[in-house]
Amino acid sequence: MPTFTASDGTELAYHVRGEGEPLVVLPGGPMQASEYLGDLGGLTAHRRLILLDPRGTGDSAVPADPATYRCDRQIDDVEALRVRLGLDRMDVLAHSAGGNLALLYAARHPRRVARLALVTVIPWALGRPATPEERLAAALLRKDEPWFAAVFPAFRAWLAGEEVTDEDFAAFGGFFYGRWDDTARAHAAGMEARANVEAEERFHGPGAYDPPALRAALAEVTAPALVLAGGADGGPCPAAARLLADVLPNAEFAVQPDAGHYPWLDDPQWFTRRTAAFLNAAAPTAPAR
């Protein structure tokens, strides 16, 4: 397991899967170990995945200062990984909350990003979290599922800010996957086991984002970008995800039909085909320095 040292001395780990050109992968959660990403639906057949375990997760060390869990404080971790890999420019794929870190990194280091794939990313960094109404609308798409009636009342109560039991919360998993089958259930259970609660609570903390400044900076990011949303996802719903494509000058937008928040599990072939086509398109010309 390769490691590198962050600027504050924290020892960080990453995992390598697959062959081919490297693709740096930033996990979501926020602050989940990268294990839940697996091989991204078989994307390892097209790229060598470099999966970062964010500080305090997986095989990465817990930082001395928990304030460094905040999203913007982790930009230097991504840059240190690039240096460790010896890459002048790198392709980056980020999932969910990790996409906000990828956006901040691209804004600060635009010449270091060759391609940027943002998968089911809620645009927190743009001041746009997912709304209860959007999550409710997506949940109602599942009304014909056999498990829906038993869990929907508690899910609606949770969205309204009411307290729910741990058992109820665990049952909400069906609303985050396009297919609530045994594979999805096992995946959801693993997510809970790998959670770093303190890090998660600090990730979007006060001061992490400056949406107007970020919008201005991203307008100068010329790297090709793919914004991929799940058609059945409520956080983000496709309309919210599209806001990311609107602020990136060279972005394309795609909606994976019937997919939830983890589209590589819902339809691996669709996800891999679409993502690989973007990543393996003709290489963009490096910007002048």
Side-chain angles (χ1 to χ4, degrees):
M1 178 195 62
T3 63
F4 63 101
T5 304
S7 59
D8 67 345
T10 304
E11 195 75 5
L12 303 180
Y14 62 95
H15 302 266
V16 181
R17 298 187 185 124
E19 303 291 337
E21 292 297 312
L23 173 65
V24 171
V25 182
L26 306 181
M31 300 302 291
Q32 284 277 348
S34 63
E35 183 183 357
Y36 81 95
L37 295 162
D39 66 355
L40 285 173
L43 197 57
T44 47
H46 304 270
R47 285 300 188 96
R48 175 162 50 97
L49 305 185
I50 310 295
L51 299 120
L52 176 66
D53 277 347
R55 52 183 51 224
T57 75
D59 292 309
S60 288
V62 173
D65 181 4
T68 61
Y69 287 136
R70 203 175 72 177
C71 183
D72 61 318
R73 300 286 297 274
Q74 297 185 60
I75 299 172
D76 289 343
D77 293 351
V78 181
E79 175 64 0
L81 175 58
R82 181 195 65 80
V83 173
R84 169 66 176 83
L85 296 172
L87 299 173
D88 181 57
R89 304 170 74 221
M90 59 184 180
D91 292 340
V92 178
L93 182 149
H95 174 242
S96 189
N100 295 280
L101 176 56
L103 289 169
L104 296 185
Y105 178 83
R108 184 180 296 180
H109 301 284
R111 293 185 177 88
R112 298 304 188 185
V113 179
R115 289 186 176 273
L116 177 62
L118 301 171
V119 178
T120 60
V121 174
I122 299 174
W124 283 91
L126 298 179
R128 179 57 162 83
T131 68
E133 293 78 14
E134 289 166 347
R135 292 192 182 277
L136 189 63
L140 288 170
L141 296 175
R142 318 300 296 279
K143 62 182 177 10
D144 294 329
E145 300 277 354
W147 48 266
F148 177 88
V151 300
F152 180 70
F155 185 70
R156 182 171 52 194
W158 175 68
L159 290 175
E162 301 176 22
E163 290 190 12
V164 298
T165 67
D166 290 342
E167 184 179 45
D168 283 334
F169 191 82
F172 296 165
F175 295 119
F176 296 91
Y177 296 82
R179 298 183 302 173
W180 191 227
D181 53 15
D182 289 344
T183 298
R185 288 185 178 89
H187 188 262
M191 291 289 287
E192 290 183 26
R194 289 187 290 271
N196 181 329
V197 176
E198 180 186 15
E200 179 181 353
E201 291 176 348
R202 290 178 177 271
F203 185 81
H204 295 304
Y209 308 122
D210 182 344
L214 181 61
R215 287 176 183 271
L218 292 176
E220 305 300 321
V221 174
T222 58
L226 169 66
V227 177
L228 192 151
D233 195 6
C237 66
R242 187 168 196 124
L243 297 174
L244 297 168
D246 292 341
V247 300
L248 291 163
N250 195 11
E252 53 191 85
F253 179 67
V255 177
Q256 182 169 325
D258 303 319
H261 199 58
Y262 307 95
W264 63 91
L265 291 177
D266 295 321
D267 188 340
Q269 290 184 339
W270 196 102
F271 175 83
T272 300
R273 182 173 62 250
R274 184 65 181 85
T275 306
F278 166 74
L279 292 170
N280 295 336
T285 303
R289 301 204 177 191

